[in-house]
Amino acid sequence: MRKLRSMLFTAAVSVTMVAVTVFPALAIDKDIVILHTNDVHCGIEDNIGYAGVAAYKEQMKEETPYVTLVDAGDAIQGAPVGTLSEGEYIIRIMNEVGYDVAVPGNHEFDYGLERLLSLAPRLNCGYISCNLMNEEKGSTVFEPYKLVRYDDVTIAYIGVTTPESFTKSTPTYFQDHLGRYIYGFGEDEDGTALYACVQEAADSAKDAGADYVILVGHLGMEGSTSYWNSENVIGHTNGIHAAIDGHSHEAFTRSVSNKDGVYIPLVQTGTKLSSIGKLVITPSGEIKTGLVEEVSEKDAKVQSVMDDIKAQYEESLKAVLGHADVALTSVNPETGERAVRNAETNLGDFCADAFRYMMGADIGIMNGGGIRASLSAGDITYGDALTVFPFGNMLCVAEVTGQQIKDALEMGVRLYPEENGGFIQISGLTYTIDTSIPSSVVTDEKKNFAGVAGEYRVTDIYVGSEPLDLQKTYTVASHNYWLKSGGDGMSMFVGSNIVKDETMVDVDSITSYISEYLNGSVGEEYKNPQGQGRITIQ
């Protein structure tokens, strides 16, 4: 049976492997197997599923006693199972699966830092992060690393959390009541502070007796701030033998040079359990990596726990809110690739319309990164709405100037044509992106908007049929994440006069908009997947 299972594993692992042989041999005669996941985003039964992860971990234990399961962040947010319990259901499932090491990703903060601090003791393995700092105390919030012994061998797992958490979660979660930042992530304008945090942790772990050091980071590659991405962190440090990554939802195994020119493995598994990462350290000191893409077995106990949890919340998700005659999409219908972060879509129009109409504002704005799923044609349930808006943000209306609106639009398109979670879907407003003009947006060390140094890329901005007046005050409907907390770096809104403060949860705007304004039916006005021509690109 063991031989058969080994054959099944070989067939299920991607052929891309990385082998590094420059490290010391182990003082044990069995492989150390490190299984890893990242960016599950509440996908408890997607693809391999948590029951598959648990079954595969037990399978590996039949081959070696040295098996560790690691998560590289963004596990507790992304679907109703997370939203309705503020992460607690996911913590219970992770405990049943048997995670040994976990790092907080930026979305672990989405229910508030205090909520994360209350959840951390309930996660059996706890969290580690070497760069999440309590600035007032001058210490890390969690332990910077965790030592795991495999008989006569000790491995240190160092946790790292992206400094992008300031803008890709909610900035006010890291501030005191006066708006002063009391928590930090080792952020600066060139990555030096983050590299120092990681290097200090690696050196400390070695001094504590670690034979090997594994970086477990929620840092990302594609689309991440370059000097905070995993490759640059590795390239500016030494003493790390392998790196497990998350944040950018990529699936890869590659070799990356460290500060001393030594190549180490860097691995990431995609998202929603599309694969399980497998990093093996052999007794000879060789490190191999691969991606497990299929698991034939499911752990019955984990499945039972998930079934019990689903039964507690699924009935309420079946309530029908209305009907859609057309599909509302967040993707490009021709390519199937996500579009809502760099183009207008009909779902983006729909969400921004819901904000504007329900709040009675001149303009509605919605961040593309906050729209997390599409809506198929047919009945729309509460569960469907929660997959679109899983964050539980609260709607507000702020009085802002035309200049603030122009600055926000410019901030949203600064990365175009690359994706940007802060790309603005709009209602009551139209604008043009002039791609011939390079972005000159200036941000501070936390990636908050600080100004525009040159010509604006956004042009031809109209509110209704009138050109935007930079001196005029408009009412803008959006969520507290932008209007009060400066999420996605939208600091130009912070401090604005809030005339309607957190009046409804974002998901309820969909419910009410369909029933009160659309008479229960989403119709032909939203039939074009690419929207209603509110955003022109030239």
Side-chain angles (χ1 to χ4, degrees), residues 37 51 61 84 97 116-117 133 159 199 263 422 424 438 483 505:
T37 60
K61 286 183 177 180
L84 295 177
V97 174
L116 179 61
L117 294 178
M133 304 293 296
Q199 190 64 66
Y263 279 83
I424 300 181
L483 296 183
V505 180

Side-chain angles (χ1 to χ4, degrees), residues 150-429:
Y150 306 86
D151 288 334
D152 293 331
V153 174
T154 299
I155 293 181
Y157 295 88
I158 297 176
V160 191
T161 303
T162 177
E164 289 186 342
S165 298
F166 280 121
T167 54
K168 292 190 175 180
S169 184
T170 300
T172 51
Y173 291 160
F174 310 105
Q175 301 170 0
D176 63 14
H177 66 286
L178 297 176
R180 299 173 299 193
Y181 283 95
I182 57 175
Y183 295 97
F185 291 88
E187 70 284 348
D188 59 18
E189 296 182 353
D190 62 4
T192 302
L194 179 62
Y195 309 150
C197 288
V198 175
Q199 190 64 66
E200 181 181 354
D203 293 343
S204 176
K206 184 177 180 181
D207 291 341
D211 300 296
Y212 280 79
V213 176
I214 307 294
L215 186 73
V216 184
H218 193 83
L219 296 169
M221 284 293 297
E222 184 67 30
S224 302
T225 303
S226 60
Y227 47 82
W228 291 332
N229 71 23
S230 51
E231 185 170 340
N232 267 312
V233 170
I234 294 168
H236 288 83
T237 57
N238 55 25
I240 295 167
H241 296 84
I244 294 166
D245 194 22
H247 189 42
S248 55
H249 295 198
E250 298 171 273
F252 59 71
T253 62
R254 62 179 64 161
S255 286
V256 177
S257 175
N258 73 2
K259 182 178 179 180
D260 297 333
V262 176
Y263 279 83
I264 69 170
L266 171 63
V267 292
Q268 195 179 150
T269 70
T271 184
K272 290 187 178 290
L273 298 175
S274 58
S275 64
I276 305 171
K278 183 177 182 181
L279 189 152
V280 178
I281 307 177
T282 69
S284 64
E286 186 178 57
I287 299 180
K288 299 178 179 180
T289 63
L291 299 177
V292 181
E293 297 173 330
E294 297 176 13
V295 173
S296 58
E297 299 180 12
K298 301 289 184 181
D299 185 281
K301 190 173 181 183
V302 170
Q303 188 62 54
S304 177
V305 169
M306 292 194 298
D307 290 342
D308 289 344
I309 286 173
K310 287 191 298 179
Q312 295 179 46
Y313 73 87
E314 280 195 335
E315 197 60 36
S316 65
L317 301 181
K318 297 176 183 178
V320 175
L321 309 178
H323 183 86
D325 297 330
V326 298
L328 297 171
T329 185
S330 61
V331 303
N332 184 313
E334 297 178 359
T335 65
E337 296 180 353
R338 184 170 60 191
V340 76
R341 299 185 182 203
N342 59 3
E344 180 184 352
T345 76
N346 61 351
L347 179 56
D349 288 353
F350 172 81
C351 293
D353 284 347
F355 283 11
R356 179 164 71 99
Y357 283 106
M358 292 312 304
M359 301 301 287
D362 299 323
I363 298 164
I365 57 175
M366 174 67 203
N367 56 322
I371 299 172
R372 308 300 282 196
S374 298
L375 292 172
S376 301
D379 286 344
I380 300 174
T381 67
Y382 188 61
D384 295 330
L386 273 173
T387 63
V388 176
F389 285 159
F391 299 108
N393 289 315
M394 301 296 292
L395 295 196
C396 302
V397 174
E399 291 181 333
V400 303
T401 65
Q403 183 64 57
Q404 288 172 284
I405 293 168
K406 185 177 182 180
D407 287 342
L409 294 174
E410 188 74 11
M411 182 70 172
V413 304
R414 75 190 188 282
L415 301 180
Y416 185 86
E418 294 180 27
E419 287 192 318
N420 175 17
F423 185 88
I424 300 181
Q425 302 289 330
I426 51 173
S427 176
L429 183 77

